[in-house]
Amino acid sequence: MARIFIFSGPSGAGKSTIISELKQRLPNLWFSVSCTTRKPRDGEENGTDYHFITQAEFDEMINADGFLEYDPHLGASYGTPAKPLEKALADGFDAILDIETTGAANVLKKIPEAVTVFIWPGSFELLEERLRGREGNKMSEEQIASRLEKARKELDEIGFYRYTVINNILDRAVAECEAIIREERLK
Ligand code: 5GP
């Protein structure tokens, strides 16, 4: 039976890097490409990292009941398209969703058996360093501050997650996430 893995954790925790490593190490993993109204960062590709769409297109998707979940945060709208996920699961793939804590709670209401993993960077200092050092990313002080504030709120939700992975050493974090997926696949 195909599974859903929800990866949450603050923007800057390293979720995307971990997920792209996992896709290389494990067969049959499918990444859910979210829709967002935020602007692409340098190096991000439309259709691969996100579907970058307008607010009007996003609203159309909502009206057409096209999202499994959606949530406005950090000054933009983000949502998980339902159809591609259903197809991937029907085709026998395990799906990975990279979504924040509100979205994760909404998915769990619909799909309680989804496996939740919280990725935490280790400390707020490390998180701030990563947000500031992000390649191709010229975040304003305000954007950094809002991400740190959201991170504090998200950390309050850590207890609701089935697994926690600390990403202060990338290789170890990837190995732990790989172990989680392998273990869940054996159940
Ligand atoms: P970023 O703008 O840094 O790519 O992502 C900001 C936050 O939005 C991250 O915590 C990420 O997990 C979350 N996010 C990305 N896609 C979705 C989505 O489809 N739904 C929800 N609820 N959150 C998302």
Side-chain angles (χ1 to χ4, degrees):
M1 195 198 65
R3 297 158 191 79
I4 295 181
F5 294 92
I6 301 178
F7 280 59
S8 297
S11 173
K15 286 166 293 167
S16 314
T17 313
I18 292 174
I19 291 168
S20 63
E21 273 293 316
L22 290 173
K23 279 197 291 187
Q24 305 207 10
R25 291 186 186 198
L26 291 160
N28 268 39
L29 261 192
W30 176 87
F31 175 63
S32 163
V33 180
S34 293
C35 294
T36 184
T37 60
R38 82 150 162 77
K39 298 278 163 287
R41 297 187 193 113
D42 284 358
E44 281 184 331
E45 273 180 45
N46 192 23
T48 304
D49 300 289
Y50 279 106
H51 299 292
F52 294 100
I53 63 175
T54 61
Q55 189 60 53
E57 288 167 327
F58 199 94
D59 293 341
E60 258 174 49
M61 282 276 289
I62 295 175
N63 291 335
D65 210 11
F67 288 122
L68 172 66
E69 63 74 39
Y70 63 92
D71 189 65
H73 53 264
L74 300 168
S77 296
Y78 293 80
T80 305
K83 281 228 173 71
L85 174 65
E86 282 161 19
K87 182 176 184 317
L89 296 173
D91 289 346
F93 288 89
D94 288 338
I96 294 196
L97 275 53
D98 170 348
I99 61 177
E100 48 68 73
T101 47
T102 311
N106 288 333
V107 173
L108 278 180
K109 277 183 210 149
K110 293 182 179 172
I111 309 166
E113 65 276 17
V115 178
T116 51
V117 183
F118 195 96
I119 311 283
W120 174 244
S123 70
F124 283 102
E125 288 72 26
L126 250 174
L127 180 62
E128 186 167 351
E129 229 171 77
R130 286 207 196 136
L131 287 171
R132 288 188 188 282
R134 214 167 214 181
E135 252 175 72
N137 179 32
K138 290 147 204 84
M139 263 191 219
S140 66
E141 284 305 311
E142 199 186 334
Q143 282 171 320
I144 290 173
S146 74
R147 271 154 207 269
L148 288 173
E149 193 196 321
K150 179 153 174 64
R152 285 182 199 282
K153 288 192 188 129
E154 290 202 277
L155 187 56
D156 287 343
E157 308 298 320
I158 197 166
F160 296 105
Y161 281 72
R162 196 177 298 178
Y163 296 96
T164 304
V165 171
I166 310 286
N167 180 24
N168 49 1
I169 301 169
L170 180 64
D171 282 352
R172 196 176 62 193
V174 173
E176 287 180 3
C177 291
E178 186 182 347
I180 290 167
I181 293 174
R182 287 192 189 280
E183 177 175 330
E184 290 292 333
R185 281 180 167 176
L186 291 172
K187 283 182 181 167

